[in-house]
Amino acid sequence: MTREDRAITIVELITHAMAALNDGEQAEQLVCRTLAKASAAESAALISVEIGRRVQLHAVWPDQRHASVLAEVALRGGRHSVGNLHLAQHPALGEIVTIGPDLDLHQNQERGRVLALSRRGGFGPEAHALFAEVAAPLQLLLPHTADACLRARQARTAADAAADLNLTTREVEVLQLLSEGLLARTIAARLGLSPRTVHKHLSNVYSKLGVHDRLVAVSIARSRGLIAA
């Protein structure tokens, strides 16, 4: 892979990932898969760490067989670090390269990610050059892919909750505005409805949730992921 080929790979990665932010595709999986294939990696995983050093997997390639080992090495393995590249050797997976900041310093950061890749025979000079050149743009890109995937998960959760509770799209909209502290008159103006229609929607919401109080309704909706916290 020449320097020009690496540049093309990086530009295409960023372009495709940014496009995926808007069309609902799993942008994090795209990043993981693209860099794994470009570097001839045999396995890859996109990882973050929560409080208590609990590892969270956000994307894997080609499957999850080696993901836990990659995560363990990325978090604890003896490594040689050069900037945002961390290099380690594993008896079964071979060379493991982790791209990103030190996870020990980025625990419980919802948007913090590192990408770990492995190859039994070791990565060649071209792959190492690709890793070095992609590290900086990847650190700028990953927070955006994390946000996009979080929004997609929240949207799926909200849609499932609305379906379970038999709430219409309009009723959810009214409930969301209610949670923001708006009165029925203001909600009506915001949605282009009459106050009477808004009160009817609220009555339906209370009935479907089995409550008689706006605070309880909002609390239930938030606990179910129906509306934003």
Side-chain angles (χ1 to χ4, degrees), residues 40 42 89 92-95 118-124 128:
E42 294 168 341
Q89 293 292 328
L93 299 189
E95 183 178 13
S118 69
R119 182 175 173 81
R120 283 189 294 272
F123 292 101
H128 279 281

Side-chain angles (χ1 to χ4, degrees), residues 172-182 187 190-191:
V172 173
E173 289 176 339
V174 170
L175 187 52
Q176 176 66 57
L177 293 175
L178 187 73
S179 74
E180 296 171 11
L182 302 184
I187 295 173
R190 182 77 63 87
L191 298 178

Side-chain angles (χ1 to χ4, degrees), residues 5-19 30 34:
D5 292 333
R6 295 195 299 271
I8 292 172
T9 296
I10 294 170
V11 169
E12 288 182 345
L13 169 66
I14 295 172
T15 301
H16 293 161
M18 293 303 290
L30 184 150
T34 299

Side-chain angles (χ1 to χ4, degrees), residues 99-182:
I99 307 173
D102 192 327
L103 284 177
D104 280 335
L105 304 178
H106 290 76
Q107 293 188 38
N108 200 36
Q109 292 192 10
E110 196 167 72
R111 300 160 81 239
R113 306 281 192 273
V114 298
L115 179 64
L117 309 100
S118 69
R119 182 175 173 81
R120 283 189 294 272
F123 292 101
E126 297 86 356
H128 279 281
L130 174 62
F131 296 147
E133 292 171 12
V134 80
L138 195 62
Q139 288 305 106
L140 295 175
L141 177 63
L142 286 180
H144 296 289
T145 63
D147 287 343
C149 290
L150 178 61
R151 288 194 301 271
R153 287 194 296 272
Q154 290 172 336
R156 288 193 298 271
T157 298
D160 291 343
D164 289 343
L165 297 168
N166 197 30
L167 292 171
T168 67
T169 300
R170 182 63 83 187
E171 288 166 353
V172 173
E173 289 176 339
V174 170
L175 187 52
Q176 176 66 57
L177 293 175
L178 187 73
S179 74
E180 296 171 11
L182 302 184

Side-chain angles (χ1 to χ4, degrees), residues 1 31-46 60-63 65-66 70 93-99 115-124 126-128 130-131:
M1 178 182 286
V31 169
C32 187
R33 180 179 68 246
T34 299
L35 281 178
K37 289 185 175 181
S39 64
E42 294 168 341
S43 59
L46 193 61
V60 297
W61 187 93
D63 51 48
R65 283 183 301 163
H66 304 307
L70 289 174
L93 299 189
E95 183 178 13
I96 296 178
V97 176
T98 305
I99 307 173
L115 179 64
L117 309 100
S118 69
R119 182 175 173 81
R120 283 189 294 272
F123 292 101
E126 297 86 356
H128 279 281
L130 174 62
F131 296 147

